């Protein structure tokens, strides 16, 4: 296991307000970054915005703003959303910042000089919305963009190209030597079969039909086409190519740093083909992992502003709290698969996992510790029953399984393991029947054991949930009497429980009334 961690989200287009899909990638990335910090691993978390391109230029014009003013306004909203969602990024890169633009110009110059980039003509089917050229086969007889299904049009212009094919063999070799580079596995096969085996086409890396981009120094009619501009953010943000490049040295160059890009399945191709090839051409190290997660759909298909079925995260957060949304994002859909957002599932997930299981366990336990022991948690004790043994055994297993799964970036599965521990502890209360033990003075030690183990489970669950439940975990720690939340290391040693004094129990999550809340959430869907 490497001893440093660099994790990134895609940099989003500030062409409109972000929706729950963008919040999805950013939240999962945040949870992974917080988990690594909990383990004491030096971590750097980057997010940002991809601000150039024809679509932004056109949208700004429609709004009677200059592109810069237009993106500045949107970015304020994006940063506000991330603040409300407690996204703990270390840096927010904007591709219009000089620290990025200057490096993109240098990179373009280097690649041009060394012959990887050449001038030619581009003719192809172009989708303005996706800013992508497509081949004849991809657009089909109806000439529709394979991504967004909008009509495409033929375009020809002078353009610079990157010689992709030159690096194809080295790329395949990298895939073979690094089996975890692309996950899930199915995406790797898709890349190999759809794009690489048929022969990698050279990539257009400049445009002359619009001006909102990084200018090519050697040929100022051209601006750098978005993907070469966008992908390089992952190194320019660290200070690549400057004198102040400590972060770049530490988190990119150092082989002890694990580099992970979290992306949606819609942009996997750019991250696992073009990005590693650009890096090879620049003679730089390649990332360790590109994790392609699935897309969150609505009942009527893909979420899109033009369809009018987008969920804005803000009203959800305001009404139900940020932790409920963060938890739903991580837990509802297996990370990697496509998912569907429905109000019904959102409410059910909240009520079952957070209200009934975790919240209730805390409440029941603290009420009993208060009633039987005046709020003071009984200190370490011996086991009396098979249920004690089973719970303690499960607690140990949970810690190691959780760590193992999180380190493999299997976030949803990792939290399923925590849920199982919490459910088991609720069952343990029913099996141990503390209210019966409390009636018999001879069973006092046994009752102490039960309370001790329950608190142990609660501290563990709270700590493991803490990367997700950023607002609730401090409240739970307070009620548990913990002033210094344990690190993952302390948790594994399990030497924090003695002598805690619990505070009065307060419900962590209010139960949601399905009939009321389903229509409430439905009214939050942003119509056209
Ligand atoms: O593609 N479900 O930006 P973008 C889950 N600027 N995730 C979703 C989603 C959904 N329904 N919709 C969007 C771009 N996302 C480029 C990226 S990176 C160098 C440049 C998330 O604003 C998901 O991560 O269109 C997807 O890949 C990304 O937002 C696309 O964001």
């Amino acid at each position: 296991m490497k001893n440093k961690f660099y994790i990134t989200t895609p940099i989003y287009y500030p062409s409109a307000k972000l929706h729950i899909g963008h919040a999805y990638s950013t939240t999962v990335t945040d949870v992974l970054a917080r988990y690594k910090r909990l383990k004491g691993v030096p971590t750097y978390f980057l997010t940002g915005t991809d601000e150039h391109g024809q679509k932004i230029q056109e949208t700004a014009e429609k709004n009677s703003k200059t592109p810069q003013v237009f993106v500045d306004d949107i970015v304020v909203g994006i940063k506000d959303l991330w603040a409300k969602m407690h996204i703990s990024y270390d840096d927010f890169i904007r591709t219009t910042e000089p620290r990025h633009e200057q490096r993109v110009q240098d990179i373009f110059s280097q690649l041009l000089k060394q012959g990887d980039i050449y001038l030619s003509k581009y003719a192809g089917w172009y989708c303005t919305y996706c800013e992508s050229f497509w081949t004849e086969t991809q657009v089909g007889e109806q000439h529709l963009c394979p991504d967004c299904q909008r009509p495409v049009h033929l375009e020809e212009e002078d353009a610079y190209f990157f010689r992709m094919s030159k690096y194809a063999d080295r790329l395949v070799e990298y895939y073979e030597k690094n089996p975890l580079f692309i996950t899930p596995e199915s995406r790797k096969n898709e890349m190999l079969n759809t794009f690489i085996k048929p022969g990698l086409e050279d990539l257009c890396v400049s445009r002359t039909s619009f001006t909102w981009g990084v200018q090519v120094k050697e040929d100022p009619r051209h601006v750098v086409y978005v993907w070469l501009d966008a992908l390089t953010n992952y190194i320019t943000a660290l200070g690549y190519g400057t004198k102040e490049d400590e972060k770049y040295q530490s988190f990119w160059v150092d082989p002890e740093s694990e580099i992970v890009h979290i992306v949606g399945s819609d942009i996997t191709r750019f991250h696992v083909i073009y990005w590693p090839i650009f890096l090879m051409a620049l003679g730089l190290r390649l990332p360790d992992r590109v994790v392609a997660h699935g897309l969150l759909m609505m009942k009527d298909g893909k979420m899109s502003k033009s369809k009018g079925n987008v969920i804005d995260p803000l009203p959800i957060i305001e009404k139900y709290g940020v932790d409920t949304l963060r938890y739903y994002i991580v837990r509802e859909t297996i990370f990697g698969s496509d998912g569907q957002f429905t109000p019904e599932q959102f409410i059910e997930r909240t009520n079952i996992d957070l209200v009934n299981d975790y919240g209730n366990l805390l409440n029941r336990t603290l009420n009993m510790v208060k009633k039987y022991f005046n709020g003071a948690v009984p200190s370490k004790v011996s086991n009396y029953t098979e249920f004690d043994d089973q719970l303690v055994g499960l607690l140990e297993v949970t810690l190691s399984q959780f760590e193992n799964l999180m380190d493999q970036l299997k976030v949803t599965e990792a939290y399923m393991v925590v849920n199982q521990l919490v459910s088991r502890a609720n069952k343990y209360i029913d099996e141990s029947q503390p209210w019966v033990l409390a009636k018999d003075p001879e069973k006092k030690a046994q009752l102490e054991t039960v309370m001790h183990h329950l608190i142990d489970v609660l501290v563990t669950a709270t700590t493991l949930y803490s990367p997700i439940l950023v607002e609730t975990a401090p409240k739970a720690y307070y009620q548990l009497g913990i002033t210094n939340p344990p690190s993952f290391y302390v948790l594994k040693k399990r030497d924090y429980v003695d002598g805690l004094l619990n505070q009065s129990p307060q419900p962590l999550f209010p139960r949601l009334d399905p009939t009321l809340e389903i229509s409430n959430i439905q009214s939050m869907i942003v119509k056209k």
Side-chain angles (χ1 to χ4, degrees), residues 1 32 35-36 38-41 395-411 413-415 417-418 464 488-489 491-493:
M1 193 50 52
L32 286 165
Y35 159 71
K36 288 287 178 181
L38 192 66
K39 276 183 68 170
V41 176
L395 204 145
E396 302 279 346
V397 171
T398 299
L399 281 167
S400 62
Q401 282 186 340
F402 176 83
E403 186 175 18
N404 201 351
L405 288 164
M406 285 298 268
D407 285 338
Q408 292 179 57
L409 313 177
K410 294 189 171 167
V411 196
E413 289 91 334
Y415 280 100
V417 170
V418 186
L464 301 187
F488 197 73
Y489 175 72
L491 199 66
K492 282 208 299 194
K493 287 203 320 198

Side-chain angles (χ1 to χ4, degrees), residues 21 35 190 300 325-326 352-353 428 435 437 483 498 524:
Y35 159 71
E190 182 191 334
D300 54 353
L325 178 62
R326 288 174 62 101
I352 293 179
D353 292 6
Y428 170 77
W435 48 92
L437 301 178
T483 40
D498 288 354
M524 292 176 187

Side-chain angles (χ1 to χ4, degrees), residues 10-13 19 21-22 25 50 227 234 264 266-267 293 295-296:
I11 48 169
Y12 306 110
Y13 292 127
H19 57 63
H22 303 103
S25 316
D50 184 2
W227 282 101
Y234 300 130
D266 53 337
I267 56 171
H293 63 72
L295 298 184
L296 207 53

Side-chain angles (χ1 to χ4, degrees), residues 1-6 36-37 39-44 250-251 254-259 285 288:
M1 193 50 52
K2 298 192 175 189
N3 62 23
K4 278 186 279 186
F5 191 62
Y6 178 40
K36 288 287 178 181
R37 293 190 197 114
K39 276 183 68 170
V41 176
T43 296
Y44 203 77
S250 173
F251 286 101
D254 186 350
E256 276 309 308
S257 173
E258 183 182 9
I259 303 173
R285 176 218 166 149
D288 295 285

Side-chain angles (χ1 to χ4, degrees), residues 226-279:
V226 281
W227 282 101
L228 179 60
D229 173 4
L231 289 162
T232 47
N233 89 87
Y234 300 130
I235 53 176
T236 61
L238 295 176
Y240 163 75
T242 66
K243 288 204 182 86
E244 281 97 49
D245 71 345
E246 302 81 20
K247 284 188 210 106
Y248 172 69
Q249 293 299 336
S250 173
F251 286 101
W252 196 278
V253 178
D254 186 350
E256 276 309 308
S257 173
E258 183 182 9
I259 303 173
V260 176
H261 298 306
I262 303 292
V263 299
S265 52
D266 53 337
I267 56 171
T268 319
R269 166 164 77 108
F270 302 100
H271 285 80
V272 301
I273 298 178
Y274 304 140
W275 179 225
I277 288 183
F278 291 150
L279 288 165

Side-chain angles (χ1 to χ4, degrees), residues 335-400:
F335 188 52
S337 314
D338 282 342
Q340 200 187 57
F341 179 90
T342 68
E344 292 82 354
Q345 282 162 352
F346 178 81
I347 291 160
E348 200 176 292
R349 181 61 65 198
T350 307
N351 279 346
I352 293 179
D353 292 6
L354 299 179
V355 181
N356 289 358
D357 281 358
Y358 175 56
N360 203 21
L361 180 68
L362 182 83
N363 218 260
R364 283 170 96 188
T365 303
L366 293 191
N367 272 319
M368 291 189 289
V369 175
K370 196 167 178 209
K371 189 163 164 197
Y372 304 139
F373 297 99
N374 244 339
V377 180
S379 53
K380 286 203 161 89
V381 277
S382 36
N383 286 353
Y384 286 83
T385 62
E386 60 182 304
F387 306 126
D388 299 336
D389 292 336
Q390 284 168 7
L391 190 72
V392 173
L394 187 66
L395 204 145
E396 302 279 346
V397 171
T398 299
L399 281 167
S400 62

